[in-house]
Amino acid sequence: MAAPPSPQQVTPPSASTSQPPPQQAAPPSTTAGRPVIVLDAAHGGTDTGARGETGIVEKDMVLQIARTVRAELERQGYRVVMSRNDDSNPSYDERAAMANAYRDAIFISLHIGSTGNPGTVRAFYDQLATPVAPTPVAAAANVKSPAPTASGLPQWEQAQQPYVEASHRVADLIQAQLAQSFSGSPATATPAAVRGLRSVAAPGVAIEISSVSVPSADSLTAAATPLATAIARGIAASRAAGSTGAN
Amino acid sequence: MPRNLKLALGLLAVAVLIGLISLREMHRRIARLGEMQASEERARHEVLAPPISTPTDVTVKARIFWAAGPDQLAPAEINLPLSADPVQRSRQLVRALLALPPTPAQRTMPADAVLLGFYILPDGTAVADFSDALAAETPSGIVSEQLTVNSLARTLESNVPALRRLKILIHGQEVETLAGNVDLSGFFDLHPPVQSPGTNATPSAPSTPGAGAAASPSGTPPVAALAPAKPPH
């Protein structure tokens, strides 16, 4: 099996499909052998994400939770980088680039859904979206088909591919912790075609809290600390098992 | 009070009054525009999605995956005239998903969504082209979006054996996500049930998770499916 690419070896998207991600992250490094956690508060700016009937807006609430999670993880000795710390909306590629700039990172994307049993939390790992093969119908429908790279390096759009198994393992370990803290949550992680994970060249997990439909935002903000604890324990367990590398 | 000040205040009051009237009119126009769009969507639905009947229709027990709670799908068998032609059969099934949910709570796709086109490529790839309403009205969230995709994929795979994978387009175009989370740029693998000759329905299965649920052959436990196909080599 070919060696997995280092983060720097991922071919960025071509200008015709999407913009190359900016260099926003700090130089690669880790703290005391621990991975850098890139904490992604989903959505932002004009992309509000889910909206509840009581006025809860995903982009705002998830940022608030991410800040608490960050503080808790840093208290536990992790270095945390936020994909956004205001009402901005970095592109999927810009968010992924923050994780891809580190040699040892774990990407955690936080979400609050529109549905689901209130009070439950699900961890997702990516089911890679496969590029569409060129066909007459696809061509007629302007379906994109990424061109192969001359270098043979994995394409940006498929950067998660070598890390899917590692992501699955980390997601399962985090989900096991979530199931203990959030009653009714599943015992194992769920596969889903999550766009925000596709270009991440590192283990990546999306976590979705249910939901913006809760009567009060207090229950969501209260989830932040146990959420951080579950993430920290799940990551620690994955490090102990040596399961955060590429497939 | 000086006369000039009175005049200025009077003019200001008139300006505020005109502004309020204009604002109200603008709100009315925006609301009217929204109603027009909704009416257009409904009209298109009536024109584009009437019941589909073909000469080869046979009423069978079709297996439709409706919502069974906020994050679950469950199959239900309903009597549905289905064509022998896979394209027409698929259209009939999608129409059932859109138009025939037993209760509003079981709905998995927005009521205003319209199937604009359905194609099957020689390799078994199904291309389902929906109106903008599918993307605009599906609730944002990984669970909710995956539930919608899974409902469609599992219904098709359970009733149209010719299909191998599914591509979803919105108004003829590939879109990045369904409603901000679930990736629509790739394919969703379908796993048609192994069928006995001459049968269309499959045995019922227990309730399965909607998010990331398996689309698996009947008789086998659900697997982590709707897995997009492996990249071409």
Side-chain angles (χ1 to χ4, degrees):
Chain A
M1 179 184 287
S6 71
Q8 287 74 20
Q9 288 178 320
V10 177
T11 303
S14 63
S16 62
T17 55
S18 54
Q19 294 298 313
Q23 296 299 315
Q24 293 190 9
S29 65
T30 57
T31 301
R34 289 180 162 189
V36 173
I37 298 174
V38 177
L39 199 57
D40 172 42
H43 309 287
T46 55
D47 175 11
T48 61
R51 299 181 76 104
E53 289 175 0
T54 56
I56 296 171
V57 179
E58 181 184 6
K59 66 163 186 172
D60 298 329
M61 186 54 59
V62 86
L63 178 59
Q64 193 179 330
I65 291 172
R67 286 173 176 152
T68 307
V69 169
R70 175 190 191 169
E72 182 63 23
L73 289 172
E74 286 178 341
R75 196 183 64 76
Q76 296 189 30
Y78 285 95
R79 180 175 174 198
V80 180
V81 175
M82 299 269 283
S83 67
R84 67 179 176 99
N85 206 5
D86 54 23
D87 191 25
S88 59
N89 184 20
S91 69
Y92 294 117
D93 289 333
E94 287 167 344
R95 294 172 200 248
M98 293 178 199
N100 297 356
Y102 294 92
R103 289 192 182 280
D104 187 11
I106 293 182
F107 184 84
I108 305 286
S109 185
L110 297 179
H111 300 252
I112 303 173
S114 297
T115 55
N117 287 317
T120 61
V121 184
R122 282 178 186 265
F124 296 87
Y125 59 96
D126 191 30
Q127 283 187 308
L128 287 165
T130 310
V132 176
T135 63
V137 170
N142 293 327
V143 174
K144 289 176 289 189
S145 182
T149 59
S151 63
L153 295 174
Q155 292 198 13
W156 184 268
E157 288 84 356
Q158 298 173 48
Q160 177 63 190
Q161 190 166 6
Y163 297 89
V164 168
E165 285 179 24
S167 297
H168 186 174
R169 288 191 291 269
V170 176
D172 267 346
L173 290 164
I174 291 175
Q175 184 69 71
Q177 296 294 326
L178 292 171
Q180 292 179 26
S181 303
F182 299 95
S183 177
S185 301
T188 57
T190 308
V194 182
R195 174 60 186 92
L197 299 178
R198 196 176 77 196
S199 301
V200 176
V205 178
I207 296 174
E208 184 167 278
I209 304 168
S210 294
S211 68
V212 291
S213 303
V214 294
S216 162
D218 293 346
S219 61
L220 294 174
T221 50
T225 300
L227 186 63
T229 303
I231 291 169
R233 286 180 179 167
I235 290 173
S238 72
R239 300 301 282 193
S243 62
T244 57
N247 302 339
Chain B
M1 186 181 290
R3 193 178 165 197
N4 285 350
L5 186 60
K6 280 183 187 170
L7 192 63
L9 283 173
L11 286 173
L12 190 64
V14 169
V16 168
L17 194 64
I18 291 170
L20 284 173
I21 291 168
S22 305
L23 195 65
R24 204 173 158 192
E25 182 58 26
M26 201 189 308
H27 273 297
R28 229 179 265 159
R29 283 185 186 182
I30 290 169
R32 229 178 294 151
L33 195 64
E35 283 170 17
M36 278 171 62
Q37 283 171 344
S39 303
E40 187 185 320
E41 192 80 55
R42 278 193 295 272
R44 284 170 60 193
H45 204 295
E46 284 168 16
V47 172
L48 295 170
I52 303 161
S53 66
T54 72
T56 58
D57 280 3
V58 175
T59 299
V60 298
K61 285 195 181 303
R63 202 165 178 226
I64 311 287
F65 284 79
W66 306 114
D71 55 3
Q72 299 273 321
L73 288 175
E77 289 189 350
I78 63 168
N79 288 324
L80 201 64
L82 290 180
S83 173
D85 172 52
V87 172
Q88 295 303 329
R89 190 181 182 88
S90 301
R91 295 175 70 98
Q92 289 166 327
L93 288 159
V94 175
R95 186 187 176 278
L97 269 177
L98 289 167
L100 304 176
T103 65
Q106 288 173 273
R107 174 174 288 285
T108 56
M109 305 180 86
D112 288 340
V114 175
L115 182 69
L116 301 178
F118 196 95
Y119 317 95
I120 301 178
L121 306 184
D123 66 354
T125 299
V127 181
D129 180 16
F130 287 93
S131 63
D132 296 332
L134 183 69
E137 296 177 25
T138 295
S140 179
I142 302 171
V143 169
S144 51
E145 293 170 46
Q146 194 75 30
L147 191 82
T148 297
V149 171
N150 283 7
S151 165
L152 175 64
R154 302 199 70 191
T155 297
L156 288 174
E157 76 181 7
S158 295
N159 299 282
V160 192
L163 305 183
R164 291 294 174 270
R165 53 185 186 169
L166 171 67
K167 174 72 184 176
I168 298 174
L169 302 177
I170 302 295
H171 217 110
Q173 301 292 313
E174 181 183 82
V175 296
E176 197 162 38
T177 65
L178 178 52
N181 296 282
V182 166
D183 194 343
L184 291 191
S185 65
F187 298 111
F188 294 97
D189 272 359
L190 304 178
H191 304 278
V194 178
Q195 294 192 336
S196 305
T199 63
N200 290 314
T202 55
S204 59
S207 206
T208 50
S216 62
S218 63
T220 60
V223 293
L226 287 193
K230 298 291 179 198
H233 295 290

